[in-house]
Amino acid sequence: MTGLIDKPLQGIRVLDLTRLLPGPMATMHLADMGAEVIKIEDPGAGDYARTMGPVRKEVSQFFIAVNRGKHGIRLDLKNSAQREELLTMSESADVVVESFRPGVMDKLGVGWEVLKERNPKLVMCAISGYGQDGPFAQLAGHDINYVGLAGMLEQNVGPDGVPALGNLQVGDLLGGAQAAVQGILAALIGAKATGKGRFVDVSMTDAVFAHNVMPLVAVNNFGRTAPPGRDLLTGGVPCYNVYRTSDNRFMAVGALELKFWEACCDVLGRPDLKSRHWSLGQHVGGEDAMTVKAELDAIFAAETMSTWTERFAAADCCVTPILRADEAIDHPLFRARGMIEHKMHPTEGEYWSTGPAVRFRP
């Protein structure tokens, strides 16, 4: 696979002052695309992620997971000489990324107005919970707050009706990391075209809200969101749902299109259910949809996950097992794509790592 890898951001230099998850993940994506990323930490504890979770040898696996491919230095920005060192570095940098609360960089003497005087082509990205202005700008927050305020968490409920916390941090990773990468790349193109850099204001809550498409569609159509767990993609139809197997595992049925649902029904031995599909008039979240779901509950509960996986393997109707992370590591999909790396490091020890999320070919 290495012969297919091309890195379009070679020659781009990024100064990364971020901590924890969103910013480090964003700059790691840039590093994976070829950028030179210099991670700048304070001389004390540094990035809090270093000690979040069990520390193996020197740092946590969390820190390792989001800081691949970066160089690291320590600078005390309250020290005038070391602050000047950062300013000098910014003159030859293309991007500066920070995740402090709004105004902190200005107080440290390295805010946008100062940096762009040093380097007019510079792109500066500020990742924050609620943006650089507005009534929440100075408030602290975490992923749970961002997805809660944006109307996303209310739709993500468990069987008891209580909002369930997924182990994919949508606010941090979609709202923070991906939105930052998007904004940075757009600003870099603009800087190349015009010779002028830009300040990129990333609000994690704004980004989640902007991507909360289906609930917003429901509001426009019906004046309110669907009841949690009863919309088209949240459990309101049997063709797009999760089913427990006899060994207490689960299958993901994503047969949203009629042709996939029909193929799914054939595998399940229930061709009589083919006509009971949302595209044929079945009410989403309605009585018939829930009745058919109950029938599928009973069918899937009769066999193990591995049995159902084998039966659906040749059907190509969007039905797959729900894997644990350790099982995903061994799955041929990720092995064949080169997404799994087994590493031995003298200080970090033995660990698994993913490959880059995006690949390029010349």
Side-chain angles (χ1 to χ4, degrees), residues 170 174-175 178-179 182 205-216:
V170 175
L174 166 68
Q178 288 300 124
Q182 171 185 318
T205 308
D206 284 357
V208 176
F209 184 71
H211 287 85
N212 200 30
V213 176
M214 297 306 287
L216 290 173

Side-chain angles (χ1 to χ4, degrees), residues 14-18 23 27 30 95-99 125 127 184:
V14 179
L15 305 184
D16 176 13
L17 284 80
T18 66
T27 57
L30 298 176
V95 182
V96 171
V97 190
E98 60 97 353
S99 59
C125 178
I127 304 171
I184 289 167

Side-chain angles (χ1 to χ4, degrees), residues 28-29 32 68 337-341 353-359:
M28 188 181 77
H29 287 321
D32 285 342
R68 173 177 64 229
R337 290 281 296 168
M339 282 297 295
I340 301 299
E341 300 177 11
S353 173
T354 67
V358 179
R359 299 180 189 186

Side-chain angles (χ1 to χ4, degrees), residues 119-156:
N119 182 355
K121 296 181 180 180
L122 185 69
V123 170
M124 181 175 178
C125 178
I127 304 171
S128 63
Y130 307 110
Q132 296 298 299
D133 51 30
F136 276 33
Q138 292 300 322
L139 296 182
H142 281 296
D143 185 88
I144 189 173
N145 308 114
Y146 313 145
V147 298
L149 286 168
M152 176 261 174
L153 187 55
E154 181 269 344
Q155 291 280 297
N156 192 34

Side-chain angles (χ1 to χ4, degrees), residues 58-246:
E58 296 179 356
V59 293
S60 71
Q61 285 295 312
F62 174 29
F63 181 86
I64 294 169
V66 296
N67 287 290
R68 173 177 64 229
K70 305 175 187 179
H71 308 290
I73 64 171
R74 300 274 186 155
L75 289 178
D76 181 0
L77 297 182
K78 295 179 180 179
N79 178 285
S80 59
Q82 295 185 46
R83 181 167 58 250
E84 182 59 34
E85 186 176 346
L86 174 66
L87 292 171
T88 300
M89 292 173 64
S90 73
E91 294 174 2
S92 60
D94 299 283
V95 182
V96 171
V97 190
E98 60 97 353
S99 59
F100 300 113
R101 292 199 204 192
V104 170
M105 290 286 282
D106 291 322
K107 291 178 181 177
L108 291 170
V110 290
W112 173 234
E113 295 301 324
V114 173
L115 291 176
K116 72 177 181 180
E117 283 293 321
R118 292 288 189 115
N119 182 355
K121 296 181 180 180
L122 185 69
V123 170
M124 181 175 178
C125 178
I127 304 171
S128 63
Y130 307 110
Q132 296 298 299
D133 51 30
F136 276 33
Q138 292 300 322
L139 296 182
H142 281 296
D143 185 88
I144 189 173
N145 308 114
Y146 313 145
V147 298
L149 286 168
M152 176 261 174
L153 187 55
E154 181 269 344
Q155 291 280 297
N156 192 34
V157 300
D160 58 358
V162 176
L165 296 177
N167 207 14
L168 179 70
Q169 291 69 43
V170 175
D172 287 348
L173 297 173
L174 166 68
Q178 288 300 124
V181 170
Q182 171 185 318
I184 289 167
L185 294 179
L188 282 173
I189 292 173
K192 182 176 181 181
T194 66
K196 295 181 180 180
R198 281 179 171 84
F199 182 87
V200 182
D201 174 7
V202 173
S203 159
M204 290 184 266
T205 308
D206 284 357
V208 176
F209 184 71
H211 287 85
N212 200 30
V213 176
M214 297 306 287
L216 290 173
V217 168
V219 170
N220 288 335
N221 284 334
F222 310 111
R224 64 180 302 277
T225 56
R230 290 292 183 270
D231 207 352
L232 182 64
L233 303 182
T234 60
V237 290
C239 67
Y240 199 91
N241 228 305
V242 171
Y243 295 95
R244 188 188 300 269
T245 59
S246 64

